[in-house]
Amino acid sequence: MGRAYSTLQCLRSGDPRFTFARDGSFAVPPKYYPSSPDSRPMLPVVALVGRPNVGKSTLFNALTRTRDALVADLPGVTRDRHYGVCRLAAQPFVLVDTGGLSGERIDIDELTEKQVQLAIDEACACVLLVDAREGLLPQDRAVLERLRRAGKPVLLAVNKTDGVDAQAALAEFAALGVAATFAIAAVHKRGLDALLAELATLLPADAAAEPWAEDDTSDGVRVAIVGRPNVGKSTLVNRLLGEERVVVSDIAGTTRDSIQVPLERDGRHYVLIDTAGVRRRGRVEDALEKFSVIKTLQSIAAAEVAVVMLDAAESVTDQDLTLIGQVLEAGRALVIVANKWDGLAQYDRERCKAGLERKLDFVAWATIVFLSARHGSGLRELMRAIDRAASASARELGTADLTRSLEKAVAAHQPPLVRGHSPKLRFAHPGGQHPPTIVIHGTRTKSIADSYRRYLENFFRKRYRLEGTPVRIEFREGENPYAGKRNTLTESQQRKRQRMLRHVRGR
């Protein structure tokens, strides 16, 4: 069992493995891997704190220049901790977006409050966001008292000052007694320079600058964990990390945003993406849930391996099949996980296995792992299946070997006739990775039956041991150089044609 580094350790380490690319994804260049992130100088951490719906996620996106955090004009959208790196200041630092502190200690609010407290404890400085349009509320005072008890330096950012008198808003919030107070408009990115300049004075001066290169490429396996609501996705992420990284609750729809968490296990590096649960389209009415579904689909497209989680007690539902279809359409490697396996009797387990074999016959190449995310059983088999699927998806194939394999496949089973003629498959070459794509050139390939395409897919998958990944076959047919050209007869050919016509007419 390898060590699982926390998100904060990886980001603060200054290790270029855990920086963010321009699109907000983790960049993991294959330069070097120190024995521990703690062996390198740490980047300082700044936490964004405040009550719900004051614009923390909007400010997070503005400072990190990403769209990682889900933004909506509703309170309580953010529940987990979002980590990003801000490079707009003279010294880069880790920025943490947190959920709103509502003051209520029920259900999700209490779990969100624990995540906020973890962010405050690990931060070097905190930015308290307030709403200029709603004015000073008792909740703002309560959040400030929490920050003062933690002994952290605090900056006060009065957000949403566009369209209002900024000086009057600052005068109202002067009652909080925070010396460093700034009027900002996060949605328009106004007032951020002064805020960043003051933040630079609060951060440790001995923190090393973060190494960063624009041409860094990812070397960590990106794993998206998708499924219906309340099947145990967040529980699995926490179990793999060994910490309460994301909020877990029995309430369906707890996770609303896609959370990216780096992980090192058994000497291999991963980026786990915890996604929101996806329900049937007919049941999705809330606009926020629609955005959550969109981010889940984007996470599938950005991942290398998709882990589709099922509830073993419910076997395979239509929504599970729809999610698997989305993974296949994106061409991602696939691992199917039947969770909550520990609570089933022997009869129910046999029934579940029979249902999986029957309904998932169209993805028979995908590995099915039975585990319990709550108790941790089956995790080793899951990680091995992910490694095999990622390796197969990135397999590099050679043109000469593919052509020889194609000749063997055609010799064993000839393609069916097309209008009385047999298609000729001449040679094959690789067409890409993720998924492995094989391009086959020949004649009459446009009319090859789908059954023969599936035969070739299974043949190549078995020959190259492409387990856990779809294989795409593309047929290319050479153009006829004489298509559309009219053959002009010479004078001698025209005389012969006339004599032949007279002869035929005479008979």
Side-chain angles (χ1 to χ4, degrees):
M1 180 78 66
R3 285 184 296 181
Y5 297 144
S6 67
T7 306
L8 177 65
Q9 283 180 308
C10 296
L11 287 178
R12 292 185 63 189
S13 64
D15 189 339
R17 292 178 300 162
F18 301 106
T19 55
F20 284 81
R22 291 180 176 178
D23 60 352
S25 60
F26 281 104
V28 193
K31 292 183 178 179
Y32 59 91
Y33 295 103
S35 58
S36 169
D38 295 329
S39 63
R40 296 180 56 84
M42 291 293 185
L43 288 178
V45 179
V46 176
L48 302 178
V49 189
R51 57 184 176 84
N53 205 29
V54 294
K56 297 183 295 299
S57 297
T58 303
L59 180 59
F60 175 87
N61 289 342
L63 293 180
T64 59
R65 290 186 174 180
T66 66
R67 301 180 65 181
D68 283 353
L70 185 62
V71 177
D73 192 15
L74 295 171
V77 173
T78 303
R79 291 170 175 171
D80 299 291
R81 286 172 287 160
H82 271 283
Y83 288 84
V85 178
C86 176
R87 301 183 183 84
L88 300 181
Q91 176 185 352
F93 58 87
V94 176
L95 192 65
V96 188
D97 180 25
T98 63
L101 292 173
S102 62
E104 301 179 0
R105 302 185 61 85
I106 55 174
D107 299 332
I108 300 297
D109 294 325
E110 184 176 1
L111 298 175
T112 302
E113 183 179 344
K114 292 181 180 179
Q115 295 290 323
V116 176
Q117 187 60 46
L118 290 174
I120 295 174
D121 293 339
E122 64 193 13
C124 300
C126 296
V127 177
L128 172 60
L129 261 73
V130 292
D131 192 334
R133 298 176 182 175
E134 296 185 1
L136 180 59
L137 299 180
Q139 291 173 305
D140 298 324
R141 296 181 182 272
V143 176
L144 180 60
E145 287 299 324
R146 177 189 288 265
L147 295 177
R148 284 172 172 167
R149 287 196 301 268
K152 305 292 183 179
V154 179
L155 298 182
L156 180 62
V158 183
N159 193 23
K160 304 181 183 180
T161 56
D162 46 326
V164 300
D165 188 351
Q167 295 301 324
L170 292 177
E172 179 181 3
F173 286 99
L176 294 177
V178 180
T181 305
F182 303 89
I184 66 171
V187 68
H188 299 297
K189 301 179 181 180
R190 289 206 300 261
L192 302 186
D193 293 338
L195 177 65
L196 290 173
E198 184 64 25
L199 266 178
T201 63
L202 301 178
L203 301 180
D206 57 346
E210 178 194 18
W212 171 255
E214 293 293 339
D215 57 347
D216 286 341
T217 56
S218 176
D219 192 45
V221 180
R222 300 177 60 84
V223 182
I225 303 176
V226 299
R228 294 181 292 111
N230 207 26
V231 295
K233 300 182 293 296
S234 299
T235 304
L236 177 60
V237 171
N238 287 342
R239 175 61 64 178
L240 289 172
L241 295 173
E243 62 171 321
E244 294 298 323
R245 174 60 182 84
V246 291
V247 174
V248 176
S249 173
D250 293 334
I251 302 175
T254 300
T255 303
R256 290 177 171 176
D257 210 344
S258 297
I259 309 297
Q260 303 183 35
V261 187
L263 167 69
E264 180 179 344
R265 187 183 178 94
D266 296 332
R268 294 178 61 90
H269 302 274
Y270 310 86
V271 177
L272 303 180
I273 308 175
D274 183 22
T275 62
V278 180
R279 298 191 297 170
R280 288 190 305 172
R281 182 180 301 180
R283 295 185 178 182
V284 178
E285 299 178 355
D286 188 9
L288 178 60
E289 187 174 355
K290 293 181 180 179
F291 285 115
S292 298
V293 172
I294 291 174
K295 295 207 70 174
T296 298
L297 299 180
Q298 291 175 346
S299 299
I300 293 176
E304 299 174 32
V305 180
V307 176
V308 178
M309 293 194 67
L310 318 174
D311 191 334
E314 301 179 9
S315 187
V316 183
T317 65
D318 293 340
Q319 184 60 23
D320 297 327
L321 297 176
T322 301
L323 283 173
I324 294 175
Q326 293 288 345
V327 175
L328 296 181
E329 184 176 352
R332 298 299 173 247
L334 174 64
V335 176
I336 299 174
V337 172
N339 191 26
K340 306 179 183 179
W341 188 249
D342 54 316
L344 297 183
Q346 184 62 30
Y347 172 76
D348 295 329
R349 292 186 177 185
E350 294 178 356
R351 184 179 179 183
C352 177
K353 289 182 179 179
L356 292 175
E357 293 178 359
R358 183 179 68 257
K359 294 184 178 182
L360 299 180
D361 182 65
F362 67 103
V363 286
W365 42 264
T367 304
I368 301 177
V369 180
F370 302 93
L371 58 79
S372 171
R374 175 174 296 180
H375 298 95
S377 60
L379 295 184
R380 185 177 296 275
E381 290 76 9
L382 171 62
M383 300 310 297
R384 289 176 177 174
I386 291 175
D387 292 340
R388 292 194 299 267
S391 177
S393 180
R395 181 74 55 83
E396 295 183 0
L397 306 175
T399 301
D401 193 37
L402 282 176
T403 302
R404 288 192 294 268
S405 300
L406 176 63
E407 293 174 354
K408 293 181 180 180
V410 173
H413 182 55
Q414 291 285 340
L417 298 179
V418 178
R419 292 186 293 274
H421 299 278
S422 176
K424 303 296 182 182
L425 306 182
R426 304 191 183 282
F427 69 96
H429 64 85
Q433 301 168 305
H434 305 293
T437 303
I438 300 174
V439 181
I440 300 177
H441 293 259
T443 59
R444 303 184 184 90
T445 57
K446 296 181 180 179
S447 303
I448 290 182
D450 291 338
S451 58
Y452 195 77
R453 182 192 298 267
R454 290 193 297 270
Y455 160 74
L456 291 177
E457 291 179 5
N458 295 330
F459 182 88
F460 286 117
R461 176 176 289 110
K462 183 178 180 181
R463 181 171 180 83
Y464 297 104
R465 298 180 181 179
L466 301 176
E467 177 184 353
T469 179
V471 178
R472 289 181 176 175
I473 303 293
E474 296 182 2
F475 292 107
R476 302 281 178 84
E477 185 171 347
E479 297 181 358
N480 185 0
Y482 301 102
K485 294 183 179 180
R486 185 182 182 89
N487 186 19
T488 304
L489 300 179
T490 63
E491 295 181 0
S492 176
Q493 291 175 336
Q494 291 178 358
R495 288 194 297 269
K496 290 181 180 179
R497 183 173 181 271
Q498 292 297 331
R499 286 197 300 268
M500 183 177 296
L501 291 177
R502 288 195 298 268
H503 177 71
V504 172
R505 290 170 185 170
R507 295 180 58 184

